[in-house]
Amino acid sequence: MSRKINILQNIDWFTVAIYVVLVIMGWFNIYAVVYNEDHSSMFDFSQRYGAQFVWIMAAFVIGFVIMTLDSNAYHFFAYIAYGITVLLLISVLFFGKTVNAAKAWIELGPIQLQPSELVKITTALVIARLLDYPHFKIHSFKNLLLLGLVLFVPVGVIILQNDTGSAVVYASFFLVLYREGLTPWALVIGFVSLILFFAALLAEKLDLVIALTVFTYLIYYIINTRIKYLLVAAGIFVGSFILLYLTDWIAGTDYPFYYVYLGAIGLSSVIQLIVIWTRRIKNTSIIVFFFLITVGFTFTVDYAFYNILEQHQRDRIDELLGI
């Protein structure tokens, strides 16, 4: 039995309208930024805004063609397309062209191709196909490893191309996976890492570490809801700090307060873990480990900012933070 399907009937026109408005706003912004009095027409193809209009029209045509194709085609070719685009991505490392300090482009005659943009599409297709399997459980370690491999292979290659801006885009996939059942801890870790990154650039390291200490003890109390556990934990830290401070004073080594405080964190954390394991206090050892990781993370920010990020990327962050 034949059936007639109207593809236009099932389109979310509200979302499409929002997309069209955003595209037009972007086009207007390009026109305003690179306006040339000698080429005032927005449809002047010798200018960026004219060329952008061509790409906008091409995108609408391609989008319509994509909608007309049978969805089974994407299901069938997902792995093949992903493999091809990843190989293209890797080839950029050997044959690519450097633009704005990123070796991310391939020249094909008059056409320049950026494979990292194509891999975003094929990665989404592969993830969609994996999640579509009836017996695919996202909480399974094997499946999480597989999803991580699909995501981090292109991300790793893109980072090698020095195109961290494109690599960051892949973080949006975690929102999709969260919607499909991924533990919220993945989002919490990502959000906390982002906040700590900016905080480490704005605040003094000692002030930030002290704030993390206070916040950790607050979380410790919220989870245990027993004041005696909080007092024991705080007593262990204060005792560790006094011990190290007196040792430093008696030995005359005169270490900076900063080092003594960090030493107290390390010593008290070890003692606290021993107390937790011997008394079998539930759900608290993870807090200690999380605290140690966050403190350690704050000391990697400066290195990443000044040695991994390019100058134009640092300038964007400085502009965002107003520093």
Side-chain angles (χ1 to χ4, degrees):
M1 181 178 63
S2 62
R3 56 179 181 175
K4 184 178 181 180
I5 301 177
N6 184 358
I7 60 172
L8 300 179
Q9 184 178 0
N10 297 319
I11 293 178
D12 184 351
W13 288 108
F14 179 73
T15 301
V16 171
I18 294 176
Y19 168 75
V20 171
V21 170
L22 290 175
V23 168
I24 293 175
M25 289 175 61
W27 183 35
F28 285 168
N29 284 331
I30 294 174
Y31 178 74
V33 170
V34 298
Y35 175 74
N36 188 338
E37 291 184 356
D38 297 329
H39 302 271
S40 58
S41 174
M42 293 185 69
F43 303 98
D44 188 336
F45 301 138
S46 66
Q47 302 300 305
R48 286 190 177 183
Y49 34 85
Q52 188 66 26
F53 176 76
V54 174
W55 286 113
I56 291 173
M57 292 297 101
F60 284 136
V61 172
I62 294 172
F64 182 79
V65 172
I66 289 174
M67 288 192 301
T68 59
L69 294 177
D70 192 327
S71 60
N72 290 325
Y74 304 112
H75 190 274
F76 179 79
F77 288 108
Y79 295 144
I80 299 174
Y82 178 79
I84 292 173
T85 53
V86 168
L87 289 176
L88 277 175
L89 194 64
I90 294 174
S91 69
V92 173
L93 297 174
F94 303 97
F95 311 108
K97 177 184 177 182
T98 301
V99 177
N100 293 329
K103 192 176 183 180
W105 298 81
I106 294 179
E107 281 191 336
L108 301 174
I111 300 175
Q112 288 188 346
L113 179 67
Q114 189 175 11
S116 60
E117 296 298 324
L118 300 176
V119 179
K120 293 174 186 176
I121 300 173
T122 57
T123 300
L125 290 175
V126 169
I127 291 178
R129 178 167 180 177
L130 290 174
L131 295 176
D132 189 52
Y133 285 120
H135 302 294
F136 188 89
K137 304 297 183 183
I138 198 170
H139 295 294
S140 166
F141 177 77
K142 180 181 70 174
N143 293 336
L144 282 175
L145 188 63
L146 181 58
L147 288 171
L149 187 65
V150 170
L151 280 173
F152 291 117
V153 165
V155 168
V157 179
I158 291 172
I159 290 176
L160 291 176
Q161 296 174 359
N162 204 27
D163 188 10
T164 52
S166 294
V168 170
V169 174
Y170 282 79
S172 61
F173 281 104
F174 284 97
L175 297 176
V176 177
L177 297 177
Y178 171 71
R179 186 191 64 182
E180 296 299 324
L182 183 67
T183 172
W185 278 107
L187 294 182
V188 171
I189 292 173
F191 181 75
V192 170
S193 299
L194 186 63
I195 295 298
L196 280 178
F197 182 85
F198 290 140
L201 294 176
L202 292 171
E204 294 291 336
K205 293 295 186 294
L206 178 59
D207 295 338
L208 182 58
V209 172
I210 292 175
L212 286 173
T213 305
V214 174
F215 180 76
T216 300
Y217 281 115
L218 177 63
I219 297 298
Y220 192 90
Y221 174 71
I222 291 175
I223 291 180
N224 286 291
T225 65
R226 293 185 180 180
I227 191 66
K228 70 173 184 178
Y229 287 147
L230 177 63
L231 293 176
V232 169
I236 291 174
F237 175 77
V238 172
S240 300
F241 178 80
I242 293 175
L243 175 64
L244 293 178
Y245 184 82
L246 290 176
T247 302
D248 176 57
W249 180 67
I250 294 173
T253 49
D254 195 25
Y255 284 115
F257 177 83
Y258 189 72
Y259 294 143
V260 176
Y261 191 89
L262 290 178
I265 288 177
L267 178 59
S268 63
S269 296
V270 172
I271 298 174
Q272 185 64 42
L273 286 173
I274 295 174
V275 172
I276 290 171
W277 290 334
T278 53
R279 295 191 179 184
R280 297 180 180 180
I281 305 175
K282 296 181 179 180
N283 303 321
T284 49
S285 60
I286 187 65
I287 300 176
V288 178
F289 284 117
F290 189 74
F291 172 59
L292 292 175
I293 291 172
T294 54
V295 171
F297 178 80
T298 61
F299 292 96
T300 66
V301 171
D302 285 343
Y303 177 83
F305 187 76
Y306 291 105
N307 295 278
I308 297 179
L309 297 182
E310 294 295 329
Q311 183 60 51
H312 68 279
Q313 295 166 337
R314 295 197 295 268
D315 291 340
R316 292 174 184 174
I317 295 176
D318 289 341
E319 186 68 24
L320 175 66
L321 299 178
I323 56 179

